Amino acid sequence: MTMRRRDFLCGAGTFLGAWTLADAWRMASASSMPMAMPARTSAATLAAPKVPLINPTSLARFVDPLPIPAVARASDQRTHPAYPGRTLPCYRVTMRECKVHLHRDIPATPLWGYNGQFPGPTIEARRGEPLLVEWINGLPPKHFLPIDHTIHGAEHDKPEVRAVTHVHGARAPAKSDGFPDDWYTPGHSALYHYPNGQDAATLWYHDHAMGITRLNIYAGLFGAYLVRDDEEQALHLPSGECDIPLMLCDRLVAQDGQLYYPVSDDPSAPWVMQCNGNLVLCNGKIFPYLDVEPRRYRFRVINVANTRFFDLSLSHDQPMQQIASDQGLLSAPLQRTRIELHPAERADVVIDFSDFAGKSLQLRHEAEGILEFRVRDRGTRDTSALPATLRKVPRIDPASAARQRILTLNETDDANGNAMTMLLDGKRWSDPVTENPRQNSIETWSFVNLTGDAHPIHLHLVRFQVIDRRPFDLFAWNAHRKLVFTGPAISPEPQELGWKDTVRADPGMVTRIAMRFEGEPGRYVWHCHLLEHEDNEMMRPFDLLPAHS
Ligand code: C2O
Ligand code: CU
Ligand code: CU
């Protein structure tokens, strides 16, 4: 199975090695049509970019400092009907155009950023302390990336520039969750409230507008949202300047500095199934460096890429200690030399530089250094700790589930037979809601992956646990929709034993998760977090029904 996942992303794998533009382009085209997929007709190949793209091997390494996103500051205190008798901090965050130097030697790149920053400002929250964010759309009236008007929700009658912000991993009420249809146009804003009634975790916010999320996030609309709590604080993990969000993505950039988003060779339907860039960005910079001291640091690594998964390691295979996954602390630190992160997944790691004073170390994606740590002793003492145990993660008993749903991940050609659409349980976004869990009930969802790809599946609102993955007989399923297992269930990997909100559903496998549907009743979504898939029907609404009274 691991092999097949690698096949699927083979283009991504060799991208950063020896490279010519022609090679890269062939590779990008190949990776838009994985082997296991049936051939497409017109939209099967990528159109060539007009301006040549930047070749990463031509760039000087480690000449720019790693940007650390500014921490957002509340602009005022306000009341809100959901919290009678209280005043809450209110943050005003404006999406707007900006120009960013992605690398010393690349002309400034026009982007869209929250508060004009790329990544956006980090929002810091504390458990149990609600806050308000006014998300302001201050974007220009025209989009600068290729909208596909044949995609549901992005038709010609829809405004080009639309945005709505979702905090990924937040247990937020439906009205503040950034429902994809709740988008608004430039000059408008939405006031969202976040109760922060959840464990400390590394969350992130990003655009979620129907049919153009992939373009809006690619344009730069994302940032970190950190929830802290007393329990975590009592552990004395590295904090303050030694606690750093690290958002990883990839982009294609033309030699004039313009961002390039790949398009199919059909100008009326430019959507592509995958978007893999040849440049890896750490907090918005290509090949940055970070000066560190010989002590422990905590990095909150977030995969904010459209399609790419990151295969991370340190030079000389130095170990890292993973302390948290998507939804917060693991039960104990986990020593790891390689960390694989799929889109939207997070891993908090502690790296101890104390043996490296005067030396440098690189964070690698596959074989390539993407970030250099330069260890200089400035004489400060490390008072942080890395306790042997972190937080209890009680297992959900799948037998306690009120409902077990079996949901397929499928792909189809559309009516004219030329565009591939990926669906959830054979349904489109506009089909009636079928997933309707009861508030506070436990359910298990089994993702039966009928495609040749791995898909990172994400549910809004809830945190879940991975129960197992189990190989099944695809032919038996296709013949009589019967689940016939062909091997024993495989337990989750150790780093998947904490709380998650995004899970890799491997091809040929049934991936089973369990969760309790805590939160406010209302309409939320679940989807594949490959943004090209999410935009093109691989997303479904779900209704959280009020608990039985
Ligand atoms: Cu990252 Cu629907 O979310
Ligand atoms: Cu989300
Ligand atoms: Cu997908």
Side-chain angles (χ1 to χ4, degrees):
M1 277 311 118
T2 313
M3 257 335 278
R4 295 193 66 188
R5 262 195 296 140
R6 304 221 145 266
D7 280 349
F8 156 54
L9 290 149
C10 63
T14 32
F15 236 20
L16 294 172
W19 139 296
T20 66
L21 199 59
D23 280 348
W25 209 249
R26 226 181 17 250
M27 236 174 263
S29 304
S31 72
S32 82
M33 195 178 62
M35 306 289 286
M37 290 193 163
R40 302 168 67 197
T41 54
S42 66
T45 53
L46 297 184
K50 288 189 197 74
V51 179
L53 300 179
I54 287 167
N55 172 346
T57 60
S58 72
L59 291 173
R61 310 266 155 144
F62 316 124
V63 292
D64 294 288
L66 176 78
I68 312 284
V71 174
R73 299 229 257 143
S75 52
D76 56 355
Q77 302 278 321
R78 289 196 206 173
T79 57
H80 188 280
Y83 309 90
R86 297 179 69 165
T87 55
L88 309 179
C90 180
Y91 296 76
R92 303 182 84 230
V93 181
T94 306
M95 299 162 232
R96 57 171 184 257
E97 275 182 299
C98 52
K99 277 196 156 197
V100 179
H101 277 282
L102 303 180
H103 183 278
R104 185 193 66 188
D105 301 328
I106 302 179
T109 301
L111 294 168
W112 289 356
Y114 285 98
N115 278 356
Q117 292 158 28
F118 175 69
T122 301
I123 297 178
E124 301 219 359
R126 273 202 90 79
R127 179 182 185 133
E129 294 181 14
L131 60 84
L132 306 172
V133 183
E134 187 180 1
W135 301 103
I136 302 162
N137 183 344
L139 296 169
K142 285 259 162 233
H143 215 297
F144 71 108
L145 295 174
I147 295 179
D148 186 328
H149 295 288
T150 67
I151 283 185
H152 175 81
E155 295 85 356
H156 279 288
D157 63 344
K158 305 286 189 306
E160 256 191 37
V161 177
R162 303 172 279 120
V164 58
T165 303
H166 164 64
V167 179
H168 181 120
R171 189 189 293 165
K175 288 273 176 298
S176 291
D177 193 47
F179 193 73
D181 285 331
D182 288 348
W183 49 262
Y184 44 95
T185 52
H188 296 88
S189 67
L191 182 65
Y192 280 1
H193 68 100
Y194 301 96
N196 299 316
Q198 59 189 98
D199 286 356
T202 300
L203 315 183
W204 62 295
Y205 61 90
H206 59 74
D207 181 73
H208 219 303
M210 197 71 195
I212 52 170
T213 295
R214 70 193 183 291
L215 305 175
N216 287 354
I217 293 180
Y218 196 78
L221 292 175
F222 59 80
Y225 186 113
L226 311 180
V227 182
R228 306 182 188 281
D229 66 17
D230 295 344
E231 196 178 338
E232 185 183 87
Q233 199 173 352
L235 298 173
H236 297 291
L237 295 163
S239 62
E241 283 175 9
C242 300
D243 176 359
I244 299 174
L246 186 56
M247 284 165 269
L248 303 180
C249 66
D250 56 342
R251 295 290 183 268
L252 294 159
V253 179
Q255 286 173 7
D256 59 4
Q258 299 287 323
L259 198 60
Y260 181 75
Y261 185 88
V263 287
S264 76
D265 57 7
D266 177 358
S268 67
W271 175 82
V272 291
M273 194 179 325
Q274 293 186 46
C275 169
N276 282 303
N278 58 355
L279 306 168
V280 173
L281 282 65
C282 303
N283 288 350
K285 279 281 183 213
I286 302 164
F287 300 134
Y289 68 85
L290 177 68
D291 286 324
V292 295
E293 296 188 60
R295 51 157 296 160
R296 283 184 210 97
Y297 281 74
R298 173 184 190 165
F299 294 96
R300 302 166 179 262
V301 191
I302 313 176
N303 183 346
V304 300
N306 283 41
T307 304
R308 181 183 297 280
F309 82 88
F310 289 99
D311 180 358
L312 303 170
S313 59
L314 292 174
S315 40
H316 316 299
D317 290 316
Q318 276 302 314
M320 310 172 253
Q321 304 289 331
Q322 184 174 348
I323 55 169
S325 58
D326 305 343
Q327 283 282 326
L329 292 170
L330 301 174
S331 57
L334 198 61
Q335 175 153 321
R336 304 193 69 194
T337 50
R338 277 191 50 217
I339 293 179
E340 205 175 272
L341 273 191
H342 287 255
E345 286 188 313
R346 285 88 76 203
D348 289 21
V349 297
V350 171
I351 302 179
D352 190 346
F353 297 107
S354 54
D355 289 339
F356 294 90
K359 300 198 183 111
S360 56
L361 215 66
Q362 289 173 7
L363 177 70
R364 302 179 302 200
H365 161 54
E366 296 178 333
E368 201 75 22
I370 55 169
L371 164 61
E372 183 166 86
F373 301 108
R374 296 179 183 163
V375 192
R376 305 276 174 275
D377 198 344
R378 281 179 274 144
T380 46
R381 227 163 48 83
D382 189 355
T383 55
S384 73
L386 182 61
T389 58
L390 299 169
R391 190 195 292 256
K392 288 212 167 59
V393 181
R395 294 294 290 169
I396 298 177
D397 179 4
S400 63
R403 178 99 195 232
Q404 303 173 0
R405 298 180 196 269
I406 295 180
L407 302 157
T408 58
L409 315 182
N410 16 33
E411 60 199 15
T412 67
D413 288 348
D414 74 2
N416 32 29
N418 64 4
M420 179 81 66
T421 308
M422 260 77 45
L423 301 176
L424 295 173
D425 213 35
K427 298 180 187 76
R428 293 179 173 265
W429 170 257
S430 55
D431 286 326
V433 174
T434 40
E435 287 70 64
N436 50 1
R438 283 262 168 219
Q439 193 182 21
N440 298 328
S441 72
I442 291 173
E443 296 202 353
T444 66
W445 290 18
S446 296
F447 304 118
V448 182
N449 189 345
L450 308 177
T451 78
D453 303 340
H455 301 267
I457 302 295
H458 168 52
L459 273 72
H460 284 209
L461 185 72
V462 291
R463 57 179 189 177
F464 55 70
Q465 293 180 350
V466 184
I467 308 170
D468 52 22
R469 293 188 179 84
R470 197 164 181 189
F472 70 100
D473 184 338
L474 184 59
F475 297 97
W477 179 276
N478 286 336
H480 2 263
R481 262 205 150 232
K482 246 181 101 178
L483 211 43
V484 178
F485 292 111
T486 55
I490 301 164
S491 312
E493 293 153 22
Q495 71 278 6
E496 293 181 310
L497 288 170
W499 293 105
K500 298 275 294 164
D501 58 40
T502 306
V503 64
R504 195 189 76 238
D506 286 332
M509 292 279 186
V510 177
T511 301
R512 198 158 58 115
I513 61 169
M515 55 263 156
R516 182 187 292 277
F517 280 89
E518 290 169 294
E520 269 188 32
R523 182 158 294 179
Y524 301 89
V525 300
W526 66 285
H527 59 89
C528 174
H529 221 289
L530 300 183
L531 303 181
E532 286 65 34
H533 296 187
E534 163 182 354
D535 267 350
N536 196 0
E537 299 287 357
M538 206 171 191
M539 175 163 73
R540 290 278 296 151
F542 77 84
D543 280 343
L544 182 65
L545 305 178
H548 285 297
S549 42

